[in-house]
Amino acid sequence: MSAAEDVARDLLARTSGRITTARLTALSALLSLGRAATHTDLHRQAPDMDRVSLYRALDWLAEQGLASRITDADGVWRYEASVPGADHHHPHFQCSRCHQTTCIEIEGGLTVRLPAGFTQEKIEVLVKGLCRTCSLVSVPLGKTTKARRPA
Amino acid sequence: MSAAEDVARDLLARTSGRITTARLTALSALLSLGRAATHTDLHRQAPDMDRVSLYRALDWLAEQGLASRITDADGVWRYEASVPGADHHHPHFQCSRCHQTTCIEIEGGLTVRLPAGFTQEKIEVLVKGLCRTCSLVSVPLGKTTKARRPA
DNA sequence: CGTGAAGTGCAATCCAGTTGCATGAAACAC
DNA sequence: GTGTTTCATGCAACTGGATTGCACTTCACG
Ligand SMILES: [Mn+2]
Ligand SMILES: [Mn+2]
Ligand SMILES: [Zn+2]
Ligand SMILES: [Zn+2]
């Protein structure tokens, strides 16, 4: 039983819900992975768990505040472990070449001035670009970009 | 021939590409609509155009800088007309009840400090919450939220 | 006009995510 | 412990946005 699994069990015990293997597996995967991962990423870590059960476990974790769910640059959900109390509103960076998502530390909350009457629930900031390793290579991976010469 | 269509034709003439009806229709729809719209929204405006052709026209417009493509809170693409030169990096607001997307004006570009070696291409800021009209009603539309009582 | 390059339409396919329903496992009371 | 209730799981089917392959049309240019 890994360290992540112990922590997971402990966190689950603090909720009003049941401690099931699916939730344990999902949460430990999130904890050990450490960064925002897609359902597919996570399912790779736990191939024996049913796809749908994983979705449901992750969504439940998000409801409980133990995970947060964001949309990545390709419109796919990404999940990451989060601390129940403090809401997890830091920006993320996604590399357009290797698609890895990185959390960005930030001092002082990002704020945007909304028009009158609007109420804010959450804010999602996603920076796209090249990560350190991909910056060096610079040639896009997969999906070859078709050159288009100006007139 | 509407005003939007005239502007559209004019903008298309500035590119190296062909001026086709699909592109004209797509761009005028974007221009007259005025806010970030989904493919489905836009197809409603031009039901006779083929779905796929609309996708391709929109993607082409995005490549040309005449439109910008963003992911909304539900992971669906949204397109909006944009000025070719100035890149279109303002925040957006999406109402969690009526799903309408609103552009948010901002003075001074949003900036985030990236880790060393990372290169930024674009930044997407999406605020979720309730728009003015929905703030008053406050009961979510569709997708009923199930209450969950703490222990 | 004729020819090549670019754009279109349609059908098929992909893929993340959801839903319905029968079965199984936690929690809790006894 | 056993029984009962409640909630979670597994499987299959389904949804809907988006993409791909390919034949056909249209446009620009000689
Ligand atoms: Mn993060
Ligand atoms: Mn906008
Ligand atoms: Zn990278
Ligand atoms: Zn609204």
Side-chain angles (χ1 to χ4, degrees):
Chain A
M1 194 167 298
S2 69
E5 200 171 324
D6 283 339
V7 180
R9 185 180 300 277
D10 203 65
L11 286 166
L12 288 177
R14 280 168 170 65
T15 71
S16 52
R18 292 186 186 164
I19 303 181
T20 69
T21 33
R23 289 171 186 175
L24 262 171
T25 320
L27 186 48
S28 343
L30 284 180
L31 287 167
S32 57
L33 209 19
R35 63 178 138 58
T38 63
H39 174 272
T40 317
D41 292 340
L42 294 163
H43 193 225
R44 206 171 297 127
Q45 308 268 312
D48 294 337
M49 187 183 337
D50 179 66
R51 262 168 30 83
V52 180
S53 301
L54 180 53
Y55 272 117
R56 292 200 264 233
L58 290 168
D59 290 348
W60 182 87
L61 288 171
E63 271 178 39
Q64 300 297 313
L66 291 174
S68 79
R69 190 176 80 154
I70 57 174
T71 7
D72 77 0
D74 307 312
V76 178
W77 295 124
R78 282 183 182 258
Y79 303 83
E80 69 181 325
S82 74
V83 189
D87 46 13
H88 188 71
H89 285 168
H90 60 258
H92 289 92
F93 177 92
Q94 185 170 17
C95 177
S96 31
R97 186 170 165 277
C98 68
H99 299 122
Q100 271 228 9
T101 301
T102 321
C103 304
I104 295 179
E105 303 304 331
I106 188 153
E107 62 272 40
L110 254 294
T111 40
V112 160
R113 193 174 165 68
L114 296 179
F118 284 59
T119 6
Q120 170 167 348
E121 278 161 12
K122 62 180 282 195
I123 179 167
E124 268 187 51
V125 178
L126 181 62
V127 180
K128 286 186 66 177
L130 293 174
C131 74
R132 187 184 337 227
T133 35
C134 292
S135 282
L136 305 166
V137 192
S138 87
V139 183
L141 197 69
K143 285 214 172 184
T144 28
T145 359
K146 39 204 152 190
R148 191 172 282 273
R149 186 147 38 104
Chain B
M1 196 169 297
S2 69
E5 200 170 322
D6 283 340
V7 180
R9 185 180 302 276
D10 202 64
L11 286 166
L12 288 177
R14 280 168 170 68
T15 71
S16 52
R18 293 188 187 163
I19 304 180
T20 69
T21 35
R23 290 170 185 176
L24 261 171
T25 320
L27 186 48
S28 346
L30 284 179
L31 287 167
S32 56
L33 210 18
R35 64 180 138 59
T38 64
H39 174 272
T40 316
D41 291 339
L42 294 163
H43 194 225
R44 205 170 298 128
Q45 308 269 310
D48 294 338
M49 187 184 336
D50 179 64
R51 268 167 24 85
V52 179
S53 301
L54 180 52
Y55 271 117
R56 291 201 264 234
L58 290 168
D59 290 347
W60 182 87
L61 289 171
E63 272 178 39
Q64 300 297 313
L66 291 174
S68 79
R69 190 177 82 153
I70 57 174
T71 15
D72 77 0
D74 308 310
V76 178
W77 296 122
R78 283 185 181 258
Y79 304 83
E80 67 181 327
S82 74
V83 189
D87 45 13
H88 187 69
H89 285 167
H90 60 259
H92 288 93
F93 176 93
Q94 187 171 15
C95 178
S96 33
R97 184 169 167 277
C98 69
H99 299 122
Q100 271 227 8
T101 301
T102 321
C103 305
I104 295 180
E105 303 305 331
I106 189 153
E107 61 273 38
L110 253 294
T111 40
V112 160
R113 193 173 165 68
L114 296 180
F118 284 57
T119 8
Q120 170 167 349
E121 279 162 10
K122 62 180 281 194
I123 179 168
E124 267 187 51
V125 178
L126 180 62
V127 180
K128 285 185 66 177
L130 293 174
C131 73
R132 187 184 337 225
T133 35
C134 293
S135 283
L136 305 167
V137 191
S138 87
V139 182
L141 200 68
K143 285 212 172 186
T144 28
T145 359
K146 42 205 151 192
R148 188 172 284 273
R149 185 149 35 107

